Amino acid sequence: MRILLLGEYSRLHNSLKEGLVQLGHELVIVGDGDDFKDYPVDFSIDAKFSKSKPVVYFRRLIHRLFKYDFAKTERGIRFYFLLKKLKDFDVVQLINESAIKTTSGFEIFLLKKIIQQNKKLFLLSCGTDAVCMQYMVDKKFKYSTLTPYFESENRSNIYHFMFEYLSKSHLKLNHFLYKNIEGVIASDMDYAIPLEGNSKFLGLISNPINTKKIVFNELLIKDRIIIFLGINRHSYQRKGLDLFEKALESIEKTYSNRVKVIKVENLPYHEYSTILDQSHIVLDQVYAYDQGYNALEAMAKGKVVFTGAEQEFLDFYQLKERVAINALPDLNELVKELSFLIENPHEIIKIGKNARNFIEKEHDYVKIAEKYLKVWMD
């Protein structure tokens, strides 16, 4: 089969491609690398002109005055000039409702071209979209990435891009997609739960992780327990990183001689991953029921990850042992969990092994690729 994967936010499509290539299929990824993360793609639609130094200041001014980012138009134009190369694929899969990351009207125009010159179209729900956004706005989760917004509405500027998914222009795109896709696949519980009962929902397929590329080394604790926090300023509040930082302040005071904290900010993927390798504990995110891609890759390395691990997740995978720490939006609970691990380092070793075993069992990239093929071919 020839398969076209549009968009890349987390390395999901790259790992899926690797699994499908192992199974003998032909794959092409089109995307913009997702800003500073710089994920690999086969054809880039990165808004290089809009990001160039002479232009970026003017771009920011236009955005401040008119709430418009002309990088969106540039990505759309770059995609348009690729259309001749994006023909005759058996399957096209979108990473998100805004996979091309252009304006909604331009996105519809470009997707019409894609639909005309290819066969089946599928949609992934693995990030913010109209369905999960409405579910969060309606407060159907006990907590979500919108929780900080509800607690302090002066953060509305941070959430502006998320509310765009409920704008009239985006909802038009959403309706267009749901009329034309074969179905939508969720990558974890945070996106599967809002889709329950939706006629287009094809089920949850776990994120693919290439464990052949991710080395597992059993954790060794010598002098200090190393805690890693990777900060992305774009998602700082939404992931609860402020809570992690407060928890670390408390931990460093109490266990100053027993811990070492490593903080990094807005690093490219490969650099981020290399520094993470040094750690025992990784602080990923608070407002989640399940793990995102960064958490899963850290778990594959045998790290103890503070992330989403709610009861819905435990039930879905029928887990009896801890494979990650459920990071609740409660400062005292975060400090309590970190303190327990520091005082019981054998638990760090145990959970790290559990994490790797879980990834190998439930997230193996070839097994996951086979699940995608089954859904696509049904």
Side-chain angles (χ1 to χ4, degrees):
M1 286 175 65
R2 297 187 72 236
I3 301 158
L4 173 61
L5 303 177
L6 295 186
E8 178 64 300
Y9 291 161
S10 61
R11 212 185 179 282
L12 191 164
H13 269 169
N14 271 274
S15 295
L16 179 58
K17 174 184 175 179
E18 289 158 5
L20 290 164
V21 168
Q22 285 285 318
L23 296 170
H25 300 280
E26 181 184 341
L27 274 291
V28 171
I29 300 178
V30 177
D32 70 344
D34 200 20
D35 200 20
F36 65 86
K37 297 171 191 172
D38 196 26
Y39 295 117
V41 295
D42 297 301
F43 294 113
S44 177
I45 55 169
D46 188 20
K48 293 178 181 177
F49 175 75
S50 300
K51 289 160 67 176
S52 61
K53 285 185 179 180
V55 177
V56 73
Y57 300 107
F58 178 65
R59 174 186 166 193
R60 287 173 184 165
L61 177 63
I62 295 296
H63 186 265
R64 192 178 299 118
L65 293 174
F66 303 105
K67 301 298 181 187
Y68 172 72
D69 184 359
F70 55 73
K72 287 185 174 184
T73 302
E74 182 182 349
R75 282 190 291 265
I77 292 169
R78 289 181 181 275
F79 189 90
Y80 176 81
F81 285 109
L82 284 175
L83 282 171
K84 290 182 180 178
K85 298 179 180 180
L86 307 180
K87 288 183 176 181
D88 303 318
F89 287 90
D90 300 293
V91 168
V92 179
Q93 180 164 276
L94 310 177
I95 196 75
N96 179 266
E97 290 178 353
S98 298
I100 304 169
K101 296 165 74 173
T102 185
T103 60
S104 297
F106 202 180
E107 192 111 15
I108 291 171
F109 170 80
L110 294 169
L111 288 174
K112 281 181 179 177
K113 301 287 185 184
I114 289 293
I115 291 165
Q116 287 167 7
Q117 60 194 36
N118 296 288
K119 294 180 182 176
K120 294 182 177 181
L121 179 68
F122 292 84
L123 173 66
L124 272 184
S125 181
C126 61
T128 306
D129 57 30
V131 175
C132 78
M133 187 62 185
Q134 189 61 59
Y135 198 89
M136 291 188 289
V137 166
D138 293 339
K139 299 184 179 180
K140 292 184 178 180
F141 286 120
K142 58 186 175 184
Y143 57 79
S144 73
T145 53
L146 276 186
T147 296
Y149 169 80
F150 293 133
E151 291 176 348
S152 177
E153 293 197 8
N154 63 7
R155 293 170 173 161
S156 59
N157 62 316
I158 301 168
Y159 286 87
H160 174 74
F161 88 95
M162 290 181 68
F163 280 96
E164 285 183 358
Y165 284 95
L166 297 180
S167 66
K168 287 183 180 179
S169 59
H170 182 83
L171 288 175
K172 187 176 178 181
L173 170 59
N174 168 270
H175 295 151
F176 167 80
L177 285 171
Y178 273 78
K179 283 181 181 177
N180 288 281
I181 56 173
E182 301 293 322
V184 56
I185 300 164
S187 64
D188 67 47
M189 299 304 300
D190 293 281
Y191 310 112
I193 292 170
L195 283 164
E196 288 175 1
N198 189 306
S199 61
K200 288 284 188 173
F201 185 38
L202 299 173
L204 189 159
I205 301 180
S206 306
N207 282 298
I209 301 293
N210 188 342
T211 51
K212 289 184 179 178
K213 283 191 170 184
I214 299 176
V215 177
F216 168 71
N217 292 311
E218 185 175 328
L219 295 175
L220 296 174
I221 300 172
K222 295 178 181 178
D223 300 325
R224 293 172 184 256
I225 293 167
I226 302 172
I227 306 172
F228 175 87
L229 175 61
I231 296 173
N232 178 346
R233 287 294 165 189
H234 299 304
S235 58
Y236 184 81
Q237 300 288 349
R238 291 182 286 112
K239 289 197 171 185
L241 303 188
D242 54 329
L243 286 171
F244 280 143
E245 289 210 282
K246 290 173 185 174
L248 287 176
E249 287 176 14
S250 176
I251 289 297
E252 286 185 290
K253 287 177 184 176
T254 307
Y255 301 101
S256 58
N257 295 323
R258 297 175 66 178
V259 300
K260 176 184 176 183
V261 173
I262 298 176
K263 293 183 190 179
V264 300
E265 189 168 331
N266 289 9
L267 291 181
Y269 169 76
H270 289 293
E271 192 175 341
Y272 168 93
S273 184
T274 300
I275 297 173
L276 181 147
D277 287 343
Q278 304 170 36
S279 66
H280 302 103
I281 297 171
V282 175
L283 306 182
D284 176 56
Q285 63 177 323
V286 169
Y287 300 110
Y289 278 39
D290 198 344
Q291 301 94 57
Y293 214 87
N294 283 347
L296 293 170
E297 289 201 334
M299 290 163 67
K301 293 179 178 185
K303 310 301 181 184
V304 176
V305 184
F306 280 64
T307 185
E310 273 291 347
Q311 190 62 46
E312 289 84 349
F313 157 75
L314 300 175
D315 292 343
F316 182 82
Y317 291 105
Q318 299 181 325
L319 293 171
K320 303 299 181 187
E321 294 186 306
R322 281 179 130 185
V323 299
I325 307 299
N326 190 31
L328 296 171
D330 182 316
L331 180 58
N332 291 330
E333 282 296 318
L334 294 175
V335 172
K336 180 181 173 183
E337 290 282 15
L338 283 166
S339 300
F340 172 77
L341 293 172
I342 293 163
E343 292 171 9
N344 298 275
H346 61 280
E347 286 292 325
I348 296 176
I349 308 299
K350 180 182 176 182
I351 296 170
K353 289 179 182 176
N354 292 345
R356 175 67 182 205
N357 291 336
F358 169 72
I359 298 299
E360 289 180 353
K361 181 183 177 185
E362 303 291 354
H363 292 273
D364 177 77
Y365 73 121
V366 176
K367 292 178 185 175
I368 297 301
E370 288 171 344
K371 290 183 179 182
Y372 271 95
L373 289 172
K374 187 176 186 303
V375 169
W376 292 338
M377 292 189 291
D378 276 354

